[in-house]
Amino acid sequence: FVFGSVLRLGPGISEYYLPFLEREFPELASRYKVLYAHNYAPGGYVELVEGKVKALKRQYGLADRPSSRKARPMPVLASQLGLFDAAG
């Protein structure tokens, strides 16, 4: 299955992410500043991305949700590992 969503830049995230873009991808930084003037991208952009994801899922036959098959259980260890066993 595939899940797609647009970026959300809330408080504490935008202060980190936007300087990262300016440093690593300066050609994208100004577009992101305009697109994410608030925490969320504008509705038209969200609809555009959702439409593209939906079309790709349809094209490749991908589901909207994970299948209802249960995950295999994790193997049980013979005993609990000690927190400081490896410390020397």
Side-chain angles (χ1 to χ4, degrees):
F1 77 96
V2 169
F3 173 78
S5 182
V6 297
L7 183 65
R8 177 183 176 273
L9 293 179
I13 299 170
S14 58
E15 292 86 0
Y16 170 79
Y17 190 72
L18 293 175
F20 164 79
L21 277 180
E22 288 174 357
R23 189 175 57 252
E24 301 296 327
F25 302 97
E27 69 280 3
L28 298 176
S30 62
R31 290 175 58 197
Y32 272 75
K33 284 181 182 178
V34 170
L35 193 58
Y36 288 95
H38 305 287
N39 288 346
Y40 297 96
Y45 179 73
V46 172
E47 290 173 8
L48 176 70
V49 171
E50 288 174 349
K52 287 184 177 190
V53 170
K54 186 176 183 179
L56 288 168
K57 287 194 289 189
R58 194 172 35 246
Q59 178 181 347
Y60 292 101
L62 299 168
D64 289 328
R65 300 186 174 116
S67 67
S68 61
R69 291 185 297 168
K70 293 183 180 180
R72 292 181 292 167
M74 295 290 293
V76 178
L77 296 174
S79 64
Q80 176 73 34
L81 298 176
L83 182 59
F84 299 104
D85 289 348

